[in-house]
Amino acid sequence: DFAEAARLIERALRLEPGNPSVLNAYGVLNGAFGRREAMISYYKEALVTDPVAMSVLGNLAGAYLNTDTGETRVLIERIREIRPDSITPTIFTGFVEQFEGNAEVALEMFSAMEGVPGAWGRAMALWDLGRDEESDAAILEMAALGADPVQVATVYANRDDHDKTFEWLERGYEEQDDSLIEVRMFKPMENVYEDPRWEPFLEKLGVSDGDAAQLGL
């Protein structure tokens, strides 16, 4: 219920304009509608009040993945300084390498990771390296490990396989995968932006540009 979320967040902002948790929530809401600049500005504002807020630093690092991996690298180092034991910097670094075209480096990093993040990154890196069968095996591993449908959809979007991408997006919708709130933020999804199924899917989710306008975002 994005309308109710917007109403409550706006009320919270009036009550506590500088509250970093509220600003973070407003950043997430804007990100759901693809309003990247607004999302980043709210995350930055939250960090003014609480410069070591891990959730905000992670969100901002992810927000920059599509547009400025250099900024993501800066934030990765900040997260590593604050939480040396966190796996988050390693995961983000793997995706930075992937999106910068360094699939070999990304594969090495993701191969050292356990669980869904490792299989997820390997599925994309292996495909980019032309190792299709191994990439397929990594997708099966993702499913066996309980990956979200939307995560699998990003792998197929990275392959530019539109049919499989939307098959898994629809599965995510049916299963109420909460990762769908980030569907407009995942970089591989840019490959399906021109597909005629993309806008209707956003409308079904309630996160289209038209929906954003109705909320005043």
Side-chain angles (χ1 to χ4, degrees):
D1 188 342
F2 293 111
E4 180 64 4
R7 186 187 71 81
L8 291 171
I9 292 171
E10 287 167 0
R11 180 184 176 194
L13 280 174
R14 288 194 297 271
L15 293 170
E16 296 187 33
N19 186 304
S21 295
V22 179
L23 291 165
N24 185 49
Y26 213 9
V28 171
L29 182 67
N30 276 272
F33 290 89
R35 292 177 46 79
R36 191 174 304 278
E37 290 185 8
M39 170 183 63
I40 288 173
S41 69
Y42 283 115
Y43 291 153
K44 285 183 172 180
E45 190 175 347
L47 290 172
V48 170
T49 304
D50 187 356
V52 297
M54 284 292 292
S55 60
V56 183
L57 287 168
N59 285 343
L60 185 56
Y64 275 123
L65 265 179
N66 290 37
T67 57
D68 191 340
T69 51
E71 286 291 342
T72 300
R73 288 185 183 276
V74 171
L75 289 158
I76 286 170
E77 291 310 311
R78 287 179 63 184
I79 294 170
R80 187 173 280 122
E81 289 172 5
I82 297 165
R83 287 282 302 278
D85 60 334
S86 174
I87 188 64
T88 299
T90 305
I91 295 172
F92 272 124
T93 302
F95 280 114
V96 166
E97 296 292 350
Q98 174 73 24
F99 297 153
E100 288 183 347
N102 305 318
E104 285 280 9
V105 177
L107 178 59
E108 183 177 354
M109 297 191 69
F110 286 120
S111 294
M113 294 182 207
E114 297 181 353
V116 171
W120 187 14
R122 281 188 285 110
M124 284 196 274
L126 286 163
W127 177 266
D128 287 353
L129 291 168
R131 296 160 63 175
D132 302 1
E133 292 184 2
E134 292 174 86
S135 178
D136 290 342
I139 293 175
L140 292 177
E141 183 181 347
M142 287 178 68
L145 291 169
D148 296 330
V150 175
Q151 292 175 315
V152 179
T154 64
V155 176
Y156 284 114
N158 183 66
R159 295 179 172 201
D160 218 7
D161 185 335
H162 294 203
D163 289 342
K164 281 289 188 180
T165 298
F166 283 98
E167 176 187 328
W168 281 90
L169 285 176
E170 291 292 346
R171 186 176 302 190
Y173 182 81
E174 292 169 5
E175 296 180 11
Q176 296 185 319
D177 179 358
D178 57 11
S179 295
L180 284 169
I181 196 173
E182 298 179 289
V183 74
R184 297 190 67 165
M185 292 296 100
F186 289 116
K187 184 175 179 60
M189 287 298 171
E190 293 177 1
N191 288 339
V192 301
Y193 280 5
E194 301 303 317
D195 190 289
R197 291 167 286 189
W198 179 245
E199 286 300 328
F201 187 74
L202 295 181
E203 290 170 2
K204 182 163 69 171
L205 289 180
V207 296
S208 69
D209 291 345
D211 294 310
Q214 287 185 4
L215 292 181
L217 295 177

